[in-house]
Each structure stands twice: as C-alpha cells, then as structure tokens.
Amino acid sequence: MDQIAPSSDLMSELLLGMRLRGIQYRRVYAGPSFGFAFKAQPGCAYFHFMATGTAKLVTEEGELQTLSAGNAVFLPQGSAHQIVSDPKASVQDIDHYDVVSLSETVCAVTASSCSAPHVIFFSGCMEFDLGGLQGLVPLMPELMMIDATSQRYLELMPILTAMEQEARAGRVGDAGILARLADVVMAVIVRGWVECGCGNSSAFVTALREPRLSRAILALHRQPGRDWTIAELAAESGLSRSVFAKRFQETIGVAPLRYAGELRMRIARTWLAYDRMPIERVAERLGYTSQAAFSRAYKRITGISPGSSRRA
C-alpha cells in the first residue's frame, strides 16, 4: 500500500490526546477447540495479543482474520466479535467463563483440560478516548491488526512481552504498568495504521495528510477557547473562506464552527469527568463569558448538564 506523509504536528496531537481508561485484562488459556464471544461495548475498545498458537477472529459481519503468535488486534469502536479455534466451534460469551483474579485489573480464564494450553492470548477492554480528536473515532476501521514480529513493528514485541510478563506475575502496581504499556502499544498501532493509508477511511487520511486543512484543525485543538471565525480558520489554512468551508465540510462531515463547538464540549467532558475541574474553571478556560453560558452550550451539544457529566 502506498505510504502517506501525515501532518507530524496533527499526528502528535492525536497521539498525545489518546487515553485508555478502566482497562480490564484477561489472560486466556485454551485447548485445541474453543470459542469466545465478546459483546459490543460502545464507547470502549478491545485489544487482543496472541502470545502462542493460532486462532480466528470473526467480526460481527462474519469476516475472518487469522491470528498467529505475535499478532495484536485493536478494535477501536468496541465492536462485537469472536475468537475461535474454528468458525464451526461452539461459542460462549467470555463473561460466562469462570475466572481467577490475578490482580485488581487482571484475571485468568482457563478453557482447557490440557496441562499445556494450545493457545494463550491476552485480551483487554477499556474506554478509548482521543480527547479533542474523539470525533475521528467513527472514521476508524472496525479492526486494526498488526504483526509485532514484522520489521515495521519491531519496537512492539518487547513491550508486548513486558505486558505478558506483567499480567502473569500479578505484582504490586501492575495496573499502572499495564495501563502505560497499553498506551504505547495503542499509539504505535494507530500510527502504523495512519502510515499505511488508514484503510478506506479517506476522510481521516485527508484530514491528516492535507497540510492546509490540518493546520486549521491543529489551531482549533491548540486554542479551543478562542472564538474562532471562518475567516480566521481559512487564514490558518491559506484558503479563501468559501473554499475552506467547503473542503472542511466535505472532509470532516461537519461545518468548521460546529466542529469547534463539539470539540470544546469533548474537552470539557474530559476536564469535568476525569480531571474533576470545577465547572466555572472549565467555562473560563474554554472562553465562555459566564458559567451559565457554558452550561447552556454544553447541554445543547451533549444533551446533559455539566453537573451530570461530573457525577457520571
């Protein structure tokens, strides 16, 4: 596949804003025949790493992907799927298996009567947050798969091995170590996907590789509290107002000022729900003249009040 040259600044902004929260891992041992079903988790993402053996991943649409030792899979939209020894194998929801807790965030699932399992894989489910760029998640593919043994991803194998060892050991502080290692793995997977052309997500490709458009998007993300106008964003891009507005709408799918408003609310949600920032401070940082004005805008765009986001 042809390589692309994405905007380095915008790519860095994407990766810096990426956060994984609420990670729960399973270490799965399976025999020669197995079938695990993973239900849809909207707002979350799945991650699987095949340590030993082979398996088939079956998407919700019935597409098959072969997983071999060293393969890692990322499902950014939390789509339903199965991991099976064979498409004809009987399948059971992964949540219905008996588990043994190894630590606060890691549990073990054993679906094999053999002393030595045929397959070992690690599975994670977590909230996937791209921060201000969260609107790009729907443009991502259902599944991203890489071969950690290939030349392109040589840096990943030591990290995945460290994750495997950490999950097995159950040492003090393993949750924090696993979370940080997972951050790096997901960032490398997303970057590799972008470098290889982002599959068929043409809008995402264009946003990242179009230097003029990416300058405006980067400006919005770096100064979300500024009261941007179409003329100012067009000037950032070096385009006329009409050409910029048309190109932005066609590429991103929303008008520039609507994107700016939704961006502010995505950032506000992170500050409220995770950073526990006071509502009045969020309003001030995002350029609103009053807390009331911010609250009205937040509820109009998100459907809930800022206070509800804090409580959630």
Side-chain angles (χ1 to χ4, degrees):
M1 183 178 292
D2 293 338
Q3 302 299 299
I4 67 171
S7 161
S8 177
D9 287 343
L10 188 55
M11 191 67 214
S12 294
E13 193 78 12
L14 168 68
L15 298 179
L16 283 171
M18 191 176 76
R19 300 182 186 182
L20 305 175
R21 301 185 179 93
I23 302 176
Q24 294 294 323
Y25 286 103
R26 292 182 177 93
R27 183 196 69 193
V28 183
Y29 287 0
S33 179
F34 56 87
F36 304 99
F38 298 83
K39 61 188 177 185
Q41 295 278 13
C44 294
Y46 280 109
F47 168 71
H48 305 294
F49 169 57
M50 188 65 57
T52 63
T54 61
K56 302 287 185 183
L57 188 147
V58 186
T59 68
E60 199 167 13
E61 289 74 29
E63 297 180 5
L64 290 176
Q65 292 280 355
T66 299
L67 304 179
S68 302
N71 287 164
V73 182
F74 184 44
L75 294 91
Q77 299 177 47
S79 306
H81 59 286
Q82 300 173 357
I83 295 181
V84 299
S85 57
D86 181 272
K88 297 180 181 179
S90 60
V91 176
Q92 182 174 321
D93 192 304
I94 188 72
D95 292 332
H96 295 166
Y97 282 87
D98 293 333
V99 300
V100 175
S101 178
L102 302 180
S103 70
E104 182 182 350
T105 60
V106 183
C107 65
V109 175
T110 300
S112 173
S113 57
C114 307
S115 56
H118 285 63
V119 169
I120 301 175
F121 69 91
F122 293 86
S123 173
C125 184
M126 69 289 290
E127 182 181 347
F128 178 49
D129 184 2
L130 280 180
L133 288 169
Q134 190 68 17
L136 294 178
V137 172
L139 300 178
M140 291 183 170
E142 178 185 5
L143 181 149
M144 302 179 191
M145 189 172 80
I146 65 166
D147 179 3
T149 64
S150 70
Q151 290 295 314
R152 173 176 288 277
Y153 298 105
L154 286 179
E155 72 274 25
L156 269 191
M157 187 52 78
I159 301 173
L160 291 168
T161 300
M163 288 181 71
E164 177 184 350
Q165 293 172 345
E166 198 68 35
R168 287 174 184 266
R171 298 171 62 186
V172 173
D174 62 352
I177 299 296
L178 282 167
R180 284 161 177 77
L181 291 172
D183 278 341
V184 177
V185 171
M186 303 313 159
V188 172
I189 291 175
V190 172
R191 182 182 65 180
W193 172 66
V194 171
E195 288 177 336
C196 289
C198 304
N200 296 320
S201 301
S202 58
F204 194 29
V205 174
T206 304
L208 287 169
R209 74 184 300 185
E210 222 296 343
R212 293 185 173 184
L213 197 60
S214 67
R215 284 200 294 269
I217 295 173
L218 190 60
L220 283 169
H221 284 264
R222 286 181 169 172
Q223 300 182 66
R226 178 172 169 177
D227 188 16
W228 289 97
T229 66
I230 295 293
E232 290 169 336
L233 291 170
E236 291 282 340
S237 297
L239 299 168
S240 70
R241 291 177 57 182
S242 59
V243 170
F244 166 75
K246 183 174 184 292
R247 186 174 298 179
F248 195 102
Q249 174 80 44
E250 290 175 346
T251 303
I252 304 301
V254 298
L257 296 187
R258 178 180 171 185
Y259 180 92
E262 292 177 351
L263 167 66
R264 290 190 193 100
M265 296 310 117
R266 288 194 295 270
I267 293 172
R269 176 180 176 272
T270 297
W271 288 348
L272 290 166
Y274 300 107
D275 298 336
R276 313 304 297 170
M277 193 179 293
I279 296 174
E280 59 271 21
R281 177 62 176 148
V282 173
E284 177 186 348
R285 289 188 63 179
L286 291 177
Y288 288 89
T289 56
S290 69
Q291 181 177 327
F294 164 70
S295 296
R296 287 193 297 271
Y298 191 91
K299 189 166 186 178
R300 184 181 68 252
I301 292 174
T302 68
I304 61 174
S305 68
S308 296
S309 284
R310 282 180 63 83
R311 289 190 294 271

